[in-house]
Amino acid sequence: EVQLVQSGAEVKKPGESLKISCKGSGYSFTSNWIGWVRQMPGKGLEWMGIIYPADSDTRYSPSFQGQVIISTDKSISTAYLQWSSLKASDTAIYYCVRPSTVIRGIILHFEYWGQGTLVTVSS
Amino acid sequence: QSVLTQPPSVPGAPGQRVTISCTGSSSNIGAGYDVHWYQQRPGTAPKLLMYGNNNRPSGVPDRFSGSKSGTSASLAITGLQAEDEADYYCQSYDSSLRGSVFGGGTKLTVL
């Protein structure tokens, strides 16, 4: 059974750094793209980016390019989303997602979702 | 402002049929990219409901169906049940943005 298990809720102050995680199991982590989706309070879903663990090929949404870093640690089948300097507007639930496949850069549907990590940024 | 446009809310009575629209443009749905749908119940992660325009994952009732034409897609739900009350999101690929895009979401209320 494919599972994406995310790290727990975080409360941070503006300007602090943060790295949240998503551990994949039940499938070949290295051979499948994995990514992140943001949901701000009371709002819709926004695709942030994806990464291919085998070679670290990473694609970002233009809205998030330069704002976050997506990475993986293949040795522990874990993907990460990190910020160097958080803002209050980063307050959201972040979902780890696994696309069914990516063909020539075209992302198909998000077949599997993590449970979500709530990040709260407040002074 | 989402790249894909959905109605903010859709009401329906138990047993009725409702449809939720998803309107895109020539760089996403109109370019031939598939549309997918997700259901998100309050306090839970989204769940894949429909993929490849009209394909249901295992376990999704056949009361749910999808279609696509031109620059738009639709999700239809027949025999509406209380448990269908949720937010629904469409998703596709956009060639201009070179990435995945979502609709703004539609809140389905079962009256």
Side-chain angles (χ1 to χ4, degrees):
Chain A
E1 178 197 7
V2 173
Q3 284 194 310
L4 300 175
V5 179
Q6 299 184 226
S7 50
E10 301 273 2
V11 179
K12 291 289 190 179
K13 290 182 168 41
E16 291 186 331
S17 63
L18 176 65
K19 193 174 190 177
I20 62 175
S21 67
C22 168
K23 183 172 177 60
S25 63
Y27 71 99
S28 172
F29 182 80
T30 306
S31 309
N32 286 271
W33 292 81
I34 191 165
W36 295 91
V37 168
R38 182 177 80 173
Q39 186 168 39
M40 298 177 76
K43 302 297 184 183
L45 306 173
E46 301 171 271
W47 174 70
M48 301 178 72
I50 53 170
I51 186 168
Y52 191 64
D55 60 8
S56 296
D57 182 6
T58 310
R59 317 286 174 90
Y60 291 96
S61 160
S63 299
F64 293 94
Q65 178 81 50
Q67 307 304 308
V68 296
I69 295 174
I70 295 172
S71 61
T72 63
D73 183 336
K74 290 181 290 187
S75 68
I76 55 172
S77 301
T78 299
Y80 300 98
L81 178 64
Q82 68 180 88
W83 296 259
S84 58
S85 180
L86 286 160
K87 302 184 283 286
S89 57
D90 292 317
T91 295
I93 296 174
Y94 294 87
Y95 292 103
C96 173
V97 292
R98 202 200 87 174
S100 60
T101 190
V102 178
I103 303 174
R104 293 189 300 278
I106 299 169
I107 304 162
L108 298 189
H109 51 282
F110 298 111
E111 195 169 6
Y112 298 100
W113 293 68
Q115 83 275 22
T117 295
L118 174 61
V119 174
T120 303
V121 184
S122 173
S123 54
Chain B
Q1 189 88 0
S2 301
V3 173
L4 304 179
T5 301
Q6 297 180 233
S9 63
V10 166
Q16 270 192 338
R17 177 182 188 271
V18 297
T19 61
I20 298 172
S21 62
C22 175
T23 303
S25 67
S26 58
S27 62
N28 42 68
I29 299 175
Y33 297 110
D34 286 343
V35 177
H36 321 291
W37 293 89
Y38 302 86
Q39 178 190 63
Q40 184 179 33
R41 294 193 172 105
T44 68
K47 165 193 152 184
L48 179 65
L49 190 68
M50 194 76 55
Y51 67 94
N53 306 316
N54 55 10
N55 297 286
R56 285 176 284 107
S58 172
V60 174
D62 59 7
R63 301 186 295 105
F64 294 87
S65 62
S67 63
K68 183 184 114 169
S69 178
T71 58
S72 294
S74 288
L75 174 72
I77 311 171
T78 58
L80 206 56
Q81 299 180 4
E83 66 192 43
D84 299 332
E85 187 161 287
D87 293 327
Y88 292 83
Y89 295 90
C90 60
Q91 176 235 330
S92 186
Y93 178 82
D94 190 284
S95 57
S96 295
L97 298 173
R98 293 189 180 184
S100 193
V101 289
F102 285 96
T106 298
K107 184 174 184 60
L108 170 62
T109 301
V110 180
L111 303 170

